[in-house]
Amino acid sequence: MQRARRSLLAAAPAAAARAALVCWALVPALVLADGLRPLNDSALSDVRGRDGVSFDLNGFSMNGDMRVTYTRPDGASIWAGNPSAARSDSATPFSDPYRFDIVRSTNGLADVAQFSLPQNAGGEQKWQLAFDFGVNADGIDRDGGSIVVSDLALYGGGWQFSTPRTQDGLALGVAMRMDIGQWALRPNGRANTVGQMALDNIRIGATDENGNFTGQPWMIADVARQPALVNALADENGPRLHIGIGAPDAQYGTGQAASGGIQIGKISFTSPSGNVNLGSSRIGNIQINYLDIKFRQ
């Protein structure tokens, strides 16, 4: 019940705040504490509550036989299915929830819908994920195997959604800091490690000018300073899906793209005849200054 009450309080609309202030305004002045005063209608009209909701995923797990298939006009297709997901929890429920808020832009742009991930400072929240996939193309119908992700820990960051300044579509912001125990491609099924390709001890986050991780999320895109964009562009062949990240905007930011890094502790392959260890890999500084992807019909 405590969690339910806190969720309701986080999502309380502005009307509740106004009602509370009306009650205070009706209390005789003699019983008001120092610093409190009655509010007139004009003052009450300026009261705003926080438009948002907080929620926890304590004890979350999911398994199923759902399948999503993308089929091209020529009949070729690719599918992903049989997803599973489970999360370990914080020691104290609802101490570090997910948050969804509608916030005002600080630079006069459109309001922003913001989904914030838990800070997860102690690394207690870890995800275990898996799904199967396959393709059917050029006369070949084949199960590709499984993707298995172990000990995925997200540390802050999240997603932003808003309206683009000059175009139709959806403006996006993405910030990410994550550690992954192992990402594995297993062609013989999620329980069979023979023939797998595995990336161990992956780390992604913001870096400083020397390529050192700062412990902060990497701001890959920001709805004001460097927005990502998803929309449909039309040419002589008709509309097509477009995904891009704009150049850094000096008007609303520094004009510099944020720096991030990727580190992989071990890259390995397994086979019946033995294992191959390719060692580690690291990219100290990555900056996305511009991205433009247009999908062919």
Side-chain angles (χ1 to χ4, degrees):
M1 292 301 295
Q2 181 180 1
R3 184 189 312 165
R5 288 197 298 270
R6 296 183 66 181
S7 297
L8 291 173
L9 287 173
R18 294 182 183 176
L21 289 171
V22 169
C23 291
W24 277 113
L26 294 176
V27 175
L30 292 177
V31 301
L32 292 177
D34 290 342
L36 297 179
R37 60 183 178 81
L39 299 178
N40 57 31
D41 289 343
S42 177
L44 286 173
S45 66
D46 292 330
V47 175
R48 294 290 183 272
R50 184 176 181 182
D51 298 325
V53 61
S54 299
F55 60 93
D56 201 2
L57 294 177
N58 194 18
F60 177 87
S61 65
M62 178 188 72
N63 286 283
D65 56 2
M66 179 184 72
R67 175 179 291 199
V68 177
T69 303
Y70 171 75
T71 303
R72 296 191 326 194
D74 63 2
S77 64
I78 184 171
W79 61 268
N82 306 319
S84 66
R87 196 198 78 168
S88 58
D89 301 314
S90 301
T92 305
F94 215 88
S95 61
D96 195 9
Y98 296 81
R99 302 191 313 276
F100 183 80
D101 301 287
I102 306 297
V103 298
R104 289 185 177 183
S105 174
T106 58
N107 44 38
L109 301 177
D111 290 351
V112 177
Q114 186 167 283
F115 182 79
S116 301
L117 297 171
Q119 294 299 309
N120 196 22
E124 296 176 301
Q125 299 181 10
K126 293 184 179 181
W127 288 92
Q128 316 299 324
L129 309 169
F131 66 90
D132 303 328
F133 70 95
V135 295
N136 185 349
D138 300 326
I140 300 174
D141 186 0
R142 178 174 176 80
D143 291 346
S146 303
I147 300 293
V148 180
V149 180
S150 304
D151 294 335
L152 165 63
L154 300 167
Y155 300 90
W159 293 269
Q160 301 170 319
F161 308 90
S162 190
T163 303
R165 294 198 296 269
T166 60
Q167 303 181 53
D168 293 330
L170 180 65
L172 300 174
V174 181
M176 177 186 305
R177 181 194 163 198
M178 69 168 65
D179 292 347
I180 303 175
Q182 184 181 79
W183 181 96
L185 168 60
R186 297 178 177 172
N188 297 309
R190 64 184 67 183
N192 191 341
T193 61
V194 175
Q196 80 168 4
M197 179 187 74
L199 309 179
D200 290 270
N201 301 322
I202 303 170
R203 189 178 185 187
I204 300 174
T207 55
D208 61 21
E209 59 185 10
N210 297 316
N212 300 311
F213 286 105
T214 65
Q216 299 299 315
W218 175 22
M219 185 66 72
I220 300 172
D222 181 88
V223 292
R225 298 188 293 267
Q226 191 180 13
L229 179 66
V230 178
N231 62 357
L233 294 180
D235 55 22
E236 63 277 6
N237 297 317
R240 64 178 63 186
L241 179 63
H242 170 243
I243 299 175
I245 298 178
D249 194 327
Q251 180 180 0
Y252 299 106
T254 62
Q256 298 291 324
S259 296
I262 299 176
Q263 177 178 298
I264 303 174
K266 183 175 72 172
I267 305 172
S268 62
F269 296 84
T270 63
S271 68
S273 58
N275 300 335
V276 178
N277 186 345
L278 299 181
S280 62
S281 178
R282 177 184 172 93
I283 303 176
N285 266 321
I286 304 172
Q287 288 183 304
I288 302 177
N289 288 285
Y290 186 76
L291 177 68
D292 191 61
I293 301 173
K294 298 175 184 177
F295 290 86
R296 295 192 306 176
Q297 291 182 321

